[in-house]
Every structure is written in C-alpha cells, then in structure tokens.
Amino acid sequence: MILRSKDVLGLEDLAAEEILGVIDIASRFRAVFDRPVRSVPIMRGRTVVNFFHEPSTRTRISFELAEKRLSADIVNFSTATSSLSKGETLRDTAENLAAMKIDMLVIRHSSSGAARYLANVLACSVINAGDGAHEHPTQGLLDIMTMRQRLGDLRGRKVTIIGDISHSRVARSNIWGLTKLGAEVTVCGPPTMVPTGLDRLGVKVEYDLLRAVKDADALNVLRIQLERHASRSFPSNREYHRMYGISAEVVQKLKPEAFIMHPGPMNRDVEIASEVADGPRQVILDQVANGVAVRMALIYLLSGGDPGALAPAAA
Amino acid sequence: MEWSWERIPAEFVVMNARLCREGAIGRRRGFVHVRKGRVEAIGVGSSSPEGIPALDADGLVCAPGLVDLAVHFREPGFEEKETVVTGSRAAAAGGFTAVVTMPDTDPAIDNSGMVRYLIDRGRDAGLCRLFPTGAVSPGRRGEAMTEFGDMVAAGAVGFTDGSEPVANGNLMGNALKYAAMLGVPIITYPEDRTISGRGVMHGGYWATRLGLAGIPRAAEDAALFRDLELARAAKGHLHVAHVSTKGAVALIRRAKSEGIRVTAAATPHHFSLDHARCRDYSPLTKTNPPLREADDLNAIAEGLADGTIDAIATHHEPHTATEKEYQFDQAPFGVIGLETALAVGITYLVNPGLLDLGQLIACLSERPARALNLPVGRLEEGAEADFVLIDPERRWTVQAGAFASRSANSPWLGETLTGQVAATFLRGRLTWRGAAAPGGN
C-alpha cells in the first residue's frame, strides 16, 4: 500500500514515502503518454465525480484527462455559487452523492476545510483539488515531481516560493511536501502577502527577491490574484513586477542550472516577465504534463491499483 | 414538615448549605429562610427555624442567582435559533436568574415599544429576570441615535449596536454623553471592521496553517482605545461586552487606573479555549472576537482575578445546526454558553487555581450586577430570593441533546466539565432542578 488513507486531502497528511511512492507511479504513467494509445483501462466501470464549487479550467481538465486515460466514467458538476449565496450545505451535497453510489470524488471548493469535511462524511475516496487557501495537494505533488526530475533527491536543495503566500494553497502544499522531503524552503513576497507564523512551518521568510533567489535550485512563482487584492496588498502591478516579478535581470542572477515553475494561469509581466515565461529556464509545460500523471497515479492508487502491475519508469 | 420538590411552599428553609456571599464561601454551613419570595433570614450553623419545610442541601453551595450581562434570545426574528422562553429555560438550567439581552433581533430593539415587548415576554416566561438593552442607532445602522430616554423609561439598561460596532466616532461619543446623562452605559463590542475585514478566526499560526483569513488583535485593541478615549472625554460609562486580547486587558486596566468609567466582561470561551481549537474547521469554534492564544487566555484570567475585568458574560449566541454546518468561513459567528458557564469557570479557572470558587461566583453574580447597576446578584436578608444551589465537584459531559436551549452550538460538546447547577430559584420559586439536586421528591 503506497497510500494509507482513502483520501488525499493535503500534503500535510502524507508521509515522505507516500509522496515519493505517488511520484514513482506518476513517472510510470508519464511514460505511457508517449505511446500511441495513452489509456489504461483500470478504472472501467467506476464513477468519478468532479465537483467544482469554484471556477477552474486547468485543474479540472487535468483531472478529467487523468480519469479518461484510466477509462473511468466521469460526471462533472460545477456550482456557480458566489460566496454571497450559500446554497445548500455541503452535508446535503455529500448525502446526495453518497446516495448515487460514486467511487471517487474530486472536489474544488472556495472554503478551506471543505475537502476534509466531505472525506469525513463520505465512504468513497476524496481527492482535494484545492480548498480555499488551505491545500492543493495535486499541484504540490506535480511541482515536487517536476523538481525531482531535474534535481533528483531534494534533500538540501533550495526552493524559493515567490508571491502571495497568504492566499495560496499551492504555497502551503509545496511547503508541507518540500520540507518533508528535506528541501530548504524560502518564501518571498511583500510582508502584506506573507502571513504570521510561517516560520513555525519550517520555512525561511525573505522579503528581498534577489536575496531569496540567489542560491535557489528552483523557483516556484505564484499567480498574483489581481482581483483579490484591489490595491490593498501592493500598490500596483507595475511596482509588484519591479520588486517581485521574475524578470530577465532576475534570471541572470540565478544559479545557471536553476529553473522556474509557475502553477498557471500566468499574469504575464506581473509575477513573471513574458520573455522569462517563454524562455529556456521555465518548465511550465512539463508541470502540466506531470499534473496529469500525478492525478492518474492518485486515482489509480486510491482505487486499489497494484503498483507492481505497471512497468517501471525508464531511469 | 417534609420538603417536597413537587410542592414548594411559600415559606421554606434551605439548610446545611455552604453559603456564598460577597465572593467568599463561608466555612461553616448555614441556612437561607425564604418567605413569600424574599429572603427572610440567613444564618450560620445547623440550627434553622423550626416548623418550616426544610430542604437539606447536604453541603451544596448556595449562591446568589447568577447574572449574565449578554445573551441573545433571538426573539423577534430568529425564533428557529432561540426564543425568550427557551432562552430563559437555558438561563435557569445554567443557574442564572437575571440576563441582559442584546438588541440584535429583527427588527432590532430600537424603540420603547420593543423594549416593553421583550420585558413582557420575559415576565410571561417567568424563568429569569430579563433586562433589555436597546440599540444605539435605529436598525443598528450606525447612522443616528435612537430614543435613549424613552427606552430607559421603558426599562432598557444600556445601549449597544452589538456586533455592528458603531464605526462613526462622533456618534459613539455623543451616545456616551447622552447615556451618561441617563445613568446607563454604552456597551461596546470593540472591533475595527476595516482591520478585521473578512477574517474568520484569530490571525496567527493556526489561521496561516489552516488557510483561513485572520482577525488580528489590533482590530479589538484599536477600536477599544478609541472607545476608552471617547468615554474619558464624555465622562460616560463604557461597558466592554467581551475582552479577547491581552492588549485589551491592559488598556482597560490602565483606563481604570486613570479614572475612566469603564467596566468589562469576558466570556467563558475566551478564557478557556485557544485558536488551536479551530484545527478541525469546526464552526462550533467560530466566534467573534475569535478564540485567541494562551497569552490572551492568561491575561483574561488575571484580569478577572485582579478585578480589571468585572464579570463573566456568556454571550450566549444560539445558531441552528444547519447554520453551523456550513463551512468554517461561511458559518455564522457565535456559541451558546448559558448552561456551561459555571462549569467552564470551575474547570478552567477554579481547578487550575486561577480563581477560588467564591471569586468565580462573584464574577457571575454580584460583580456583573454592580457593573451594570442591576438590582440583583446579592444573597442577603430582605432581598428577593434569587439563588442557586451548586455542586462544585460533580463531573458531567456536555451533550448536544441535553441543552434546554433550542440550539446546541457549544464548543464544549463531548467535553467533561466539573461543577453543576443542582437547582435554581427565582423569587423563591423553583426554575430549574438538575440531576445534582439533593434527594427527596
């Protein structure tokens, strides 16, 4: 058994060996992508529900693709409920889902803790596709997979996460996963975007971008949620780009082999300069491909798939 | 004559009780002689008046009826959460014989007709004394002043916009001046909304870890500082409805030493539970002000011990099970507290040695009554016979199904607490009899 729990709710809950185990399986699936027939029929006859209570394109498509490649039956439902109208309680939603006898639930929700709540009341497996500002474990896993493909063992490696740490579930999942694997994590952003108590999660806080990235092996550049800030957390896009944006000048200061990740979608010329986004240091499309593989691996393992049945990934 | 719980006579004696008066529990046992709703006599020793039905308290503590400076009985407008009847029943079950109601109903208590309506409803329920507060501004919109004079004449004991803090400093200053002329306090829920913003729990490590928006201490401290300075200038009486931060305790201590007329209360949840309680995202731990840190809890206990904080008030805020089943960020703020206040005080303040039992009882009776000038909270000859029998050692487990309140949104569900109310008497009439009551029928 690679995963101990029936659910994947956050990297906080996963042990280092579980994270590595999932990534190993994901690497095997990644190898399947280059074959002419990319589906593996191990989820045939099983139903996965993608419940997106918050707008998402990339994560939803990535999950759908992963499910399709495993031949699962898929039901998508999205609720366009704003935070103003609460709609039905999550318990009602959960009880409806349980009555319909589904095999797995993928949930994206604007409220932190929503995935855990559903996992506690549902017998089926629940995968958290992002809950509020809490966790986004599949993004964390795909980021770690991308880093391991280039750096191998992450122990002692330096990873810098840049941007709005306060509101970022990507940052939290990265922090939990990376620190468990022994990486040295630095977070960087204006103090208005770095929440209190982060040091207790075992990361270094640095407000100066150049100092934060100087020795880094990998940069994870977070999306600035322009709509969320409305000029309160930073003065302007222009100033944010000047002080925290990854520009060509910043890239010149990096270690030669350092690379740049971004969870997407990008605000070009805000958190990342267009030329960097299209440049040789970025690994963004690799992240996207790894995302599908990681999601396939989780769905496979949570459905009781046998890791031994898959061909080992080429070294 | 034999004592009978079923037929409590107009004249009786509670004997063999440990009397709690003026914050101290007598070393020798004593008796309380009740006649026609009043305390006829109080005495020490085992002898009690002959020929009168006697309840043998068997060493239970006999204390003044408890007084709660802040409850939300939700009527009118939110009867699915609580009513005056169910709220009064919860009060009696918690040992309370007097409560101060908050005006955040729908419609708000913002005119004398509404004040009279509530007093009537309380009298009809007949289970505790109900002292209403009125809103500072019509509809609690913070725009203008309500008719304070008319409402005081109808029985209002203070004014507050409750959880809609008066943002306009000029209105707050004027309210303090005007209320001072009428001899009543302005009750503040100090919160600067521009600082607390969309926060849902204490801004600290746990909010960061859980990915929930934080309410920093500064939201309370900054608002309280403004209100204290306005009270100083107005020579008015400011009552702080709930204190959650160490900074607020220090501000109140300094204000008192400088002669500002300020009184304050703290809730049981703010001295017993810290922000780590939110770790499972249970909306039962969602309150405003939020559960904070150990330093704050300690400061509140110290404040109660040295008198900086005058009283313990429950802020009994009932919500339906459905409302408290929304996700943490969506669920409403507030917890109930009437039926657990005494036990939480014993468990978290008396047992660890932060207060003695007499002090705790004073924080729940004489001290709150004095803070808001309410004519209750004393166990003495000639006073109305509002009193409570307490078993301070009995342990019990808080269960959702066992509340007299219509709601069960308690953060202590499943927890075993020490100390239970055995019986509550209002004007010599029994309003609650619990499992800890001494034998007999």
Side-chain angles (χ1 to χ4, degrees):
Chain A
M1 287 287 274
I2 287 178
L3 293 172
R4 291 168 302 173
S5 167
K6 76 174 175 72
D7 312 297
V8 175
L9 306 177
L11 296 196
E12 179 188 349
D13 312 315
L14 295 187
E17 52 273 22
E18 291 178 285
I19 294 171
L20 295 177
V22 170
I23 288 172
D24 174 47
I25 300 298
S27 312
R28 301 186 202 190
F29 280 120
R30 183 75 206 265
V32 175
F33 293 179
D34 298 324
R35 291 198 214 139
V37 177
R38 286 178 286 270
S39 63
V40 188
I42 38 194
M43 287 289 286
R44 182 156 292 154
R46 303 217 206 181
T47 311
V48 181
V49 171
N50 297 315
F51 173 26
F52 279 68
H53 187 275
E54 195 185 62
S56 159
T57 309
R58 291 167 181 248
T59 303
R60 192 169 53 79
I61 288 173
S62 179
F63 265 106
E64 270 186 56
L65 209 51
E67 291 150 8
K68 286 194 165 139
R69 287 188 181 165
L70 294 172
S71 311
D73 296 329
I74 303 174
V75 178
N76 291 319
F77 82 98
S78 325
T79 44
T81 334
S82 73
S83 57
L84 291 175
S85 70
K86 290 173 191 162
E88 70 174 6
T89 65
L90 214 46
R91 170 177 288 272
D92 289 335
T93 308
E95 282 170 357
N96 275 281
L97 291 169
M100 290 187 260
K101 303 288 178 211
I102 62 167
D103 297 297
M104 192 175 291
L105 178 72
V106 174
I107 175 168
R108 156 71 60 95
H109 202 284
S110 56
S111 293
S112 298
R116 178 168 305 175
Y117 177 86
L118 285 178
N120 287 341
V121 297
L122 289 175
C124 72
S125 286
V126 174
I127 300 180
N128 183 5
D131 64 323
H134 178 227
E135 281 229 44
H136 192 353
T138 55
Q139 179 74 42
L141 287 167
L142 76 89
D143 287 344
I144 290 171
M145 179 173 173
T146 308
M147 289 183 241
R148 277 180 54 86
Q149 282 168 342
R150 282 163 183 76
L151 301 172
D153 192 339
L154 295 182
R155 270 176 289 189
R157 292 297 197 161
K158 293 183 167 59
V159 181
T160 300
I161 305 168
I162 301 141
D164 182 3
I165 313 297
S166 289
H167 295 101
S168 176
R169 50 192 170 217
V170 177
R172 281 172 183 74
S173 286
N174 266 264
I175 289 169
W176 285 113
L178 289 167
T179 52
K180 282 177 189 201
L181 297 183
E184 290 173 27
V185 181
T186 299
V187 299
C188 179
T192 47
M193 294 180 173
V194 177
T196 54
L198 259 193
D199 48 324
R200 281 180 63 189
L201 294 180
V203 304
K204 210 174 116 193
V205 176
E206 178 62 77
Y207 300 117
D208 182 276
L209 181 64
L210 289 180
R211 269 210 298 270
V213 301
K214 183 162 56 83
D215 300 319
D217 296 298
L219 270 54
N220 202 349
V221 181
L222 303 175
R223 171 182 163 77
I224 290 299
Q225 304 202 331
L226 299 169
E227 65 286 357
R228 185 170 260 151
H229 291 289
S231 82
R232 292 259 169 75
S233 307
F234 58 98
S236 64
N237 293 352
R238 178 176 170 272
E239 176 147 319
Y240 185 85
H241 187 64
R242 208 173 66 77
M243 295 189 71
Y244 291 99
I246 307 303
S247 61
E249 295 78 64
V250 172
V251 172
Q252 280 175 9
K253 305 268 171 41
L254 300 180
K255 281 165 56 170
E257 66 282 11
F259 55 94
I260 299 164
M261 303 190 294
H262 191 294
M266 286 184 281
N267 296 300
R268 284 171 178 261
D269 299 317
V270 184
E271 70 264 10
I272 188 164
S274 230
E275 56 190 313
V276 177
D278 300 325
R281 298 294 194 98
Q282 58 84 14
V283 296
I284 294 166
L285 297 180
D286 245 345
Q287 289 176 272
V288 173
N290 287 339
V292 178
V294 154
R295 289 166 182 127
M296 286 176 80
L298 288 180
I299 294 164
Y300 181 71
L301 292 170
L302 291 175
S303 334
D306 174 11
L310 297 169
Chain B
M1 275 171 72
E2 280 285 298
W3 169 263
S4 161
W5 284 104
E6 266 61 57
R7 292 172 61 88
I8 295 174
E11 183 170 12
F12 63 93
V13 175
V14 177
M15 55 173 278
N16 208 8
R18 292 152 65 200
L19 299 179
C20 178
R21 302 167 75 192
E22 288 166 15
I25 294 173
R27 245 173 303 192
R28 297 179 57 202
R29 293 190 180 184
F31 68 88
V32 177
H33 177 185
V34 177
R35 188 163 173 273
K36 291 185 177 164
R38 291 193 172 269
V39 176
E40 180 84 5
I42 294 180
V44 176
S46 53
S47 65
S48 60
E50 301 258 328
I52 300 171
L55 165 62
D56 185 347
D58 197 20
L60 295 178
V61 171
C62 181
L66 306 185
V67 179
D68 193 344
L69 295 184
V71 301
H72 301 258
F73 279 178
R74 304 301 193 199
E75 190 181 335
F78 307 100
E79 287 86 350
E80 72 282 9
K81 300 172 195 249
E82 196 80 284
T83 64
V84 170
V85 170
T86 59
S88 298
R89 207 175 283 145
F96 291 89
T97 53
V99 299
V100 174
T101 58
M102 295 292 114
D104 56 344
T105 48
D106 184 22
I109 309 303
D110 59 6
N111 61 68
S112 59
M114 294 297 289
V115 171
R116 282 197 195 89
Y117 164 79
L118 261 191
I119 291 173
D120 285 351
R121 293 286 291 141
R123 193 176 291 131
D124 290 350
L127 293 166
C128 69
R129 296 170 197 271
L130 190 154
F131 296 99
T133 56
V136 168
S137 61
R140 303 193 301 133
R141 284 186 297 271
E143 288 160 4
M145 237 195 281
T146 55
E147 293 176 337
F148 286 12
D150 207 26
M151 281 194 272
V152 167
V157 297
F159 296 94
T160 180
D161 275 354
S163 56
E164 294 295 332
V166 179
N168 184 312
N170 181 48
L171 175 61
M172 187 67 170
N174 280 342
L176 279 158
K177 283 181 198 162
Y178 202 86
M181 176 232 342
L182 296 163
V184 295
I186 294 295
I187 301 169
T188 180
Y189 285 41
E191 178 189 352
D192 184 328
R193 283 281 172 81
T194 65
I195 298 175
S196 55
R198 293 156 54 113
V200 294
M201 69 173 288
H202 171 61
Y205 169 71
W206 278 101
T208 294
R209 180 162 166 174
L210 295 169
L212 292 169
I215 301 173
R217 292 188 181 94
E220 179 164 330
D221 299 351
L224 178 59
F225 184 85
R226 180 202 74 166
D227 288 345
L228 288 168
E229 291 307 316
L230 290 171
R232 188 204 304 270
K235 297 186 172 62
H237 176 189
L238 181 74
H239 176 71
V240 185
H242 39 42
V243 176
S244 80
T245 68
K246 56 189 174 183
V249 178
L251 280 171
I252 293 164
R253 187 174 286 126
R254 196 195 66 178
K256 283 189 168 182
S257 77
E258 291 173 359
I260 296 175
R261 224 171 127 218
V262 56
T263 53
T267 73
H269 46 280
H270 286 120
F271 64 67
S272 63
L273 308 177
D274 77 357
H275 61 157
R277 291 279 180 142
C278 304
R279 66 195 308 162
D280 296 322
Y281 294 99
S282 168
L284 295 179
T285 62
K286 182 178 177 182
T287 72
N288 190 18
L291 305 180
R292 298 202 186 265
E293 300 186 26
D295 283 1
D296 303 290
L297 272 58
N298 294 337
I300 291 168
E302 268 172 44
L304 285 165
D306 72 12
T308 299
I309 301 174
D310 298 82
I312 294 169
T314 68
H315 276 269
H316 182 80
E317 286 188 81
H319 289 294
T320 65
T322 301
E323 290 168 300
K324 281 292 194 181
E325 231 165 54
Y326 283 111
Q327 295 305 293
F328 195 97
D329 59 344
Q330 302 282 314
F333 290 105
V335 299
I336 59 169
L338 279 167
E339 295 169 71
T340 46
L342 178 73
V344 169
I346 291 174
T347 308
Y348 287 91
L349 295 174
V350 176
N351 289 351
L354 300 167
L355 294 185
D356 64 41
L357 182 60
Q359 281 177 299
L360 172 71
I361 290 170
C363 286
L364 284 160
S365 54
E366 294 169 29
R367 283 164 56 170
R370 210 180 315 128
L372 256 55
N373 303 315
L374 307 176
V376 291
R378 300 183 76 82
L379 186 58
E380 59 191 10
E381 291 177 3
E384 292 202 271
D386 296 357
F387 63 95
V388 57
L389 296 177
I390 296 165
D391 181 343
E393 272 104 45
R394 189 183 174 93
R395 289 166 63 77
W396 60 289
T397 301
V398 182
Q399 285 166 322
F403 286 110
S405 169
R406 178 164 281 185
S407 295
N409 52 307
S410 165
W412 295 283
L413 286 183
E415 200 170 316
T416 298
L417 301 173
T418 308
Q420 199 171 32
V421 173
T424 310
F425 291 84
L426 175 72
R427 297 187 187 94
R429 288 192 309 106
L430 182 71
T431 55
W432 176 259
R433 181 185 169 203
N441 295 308

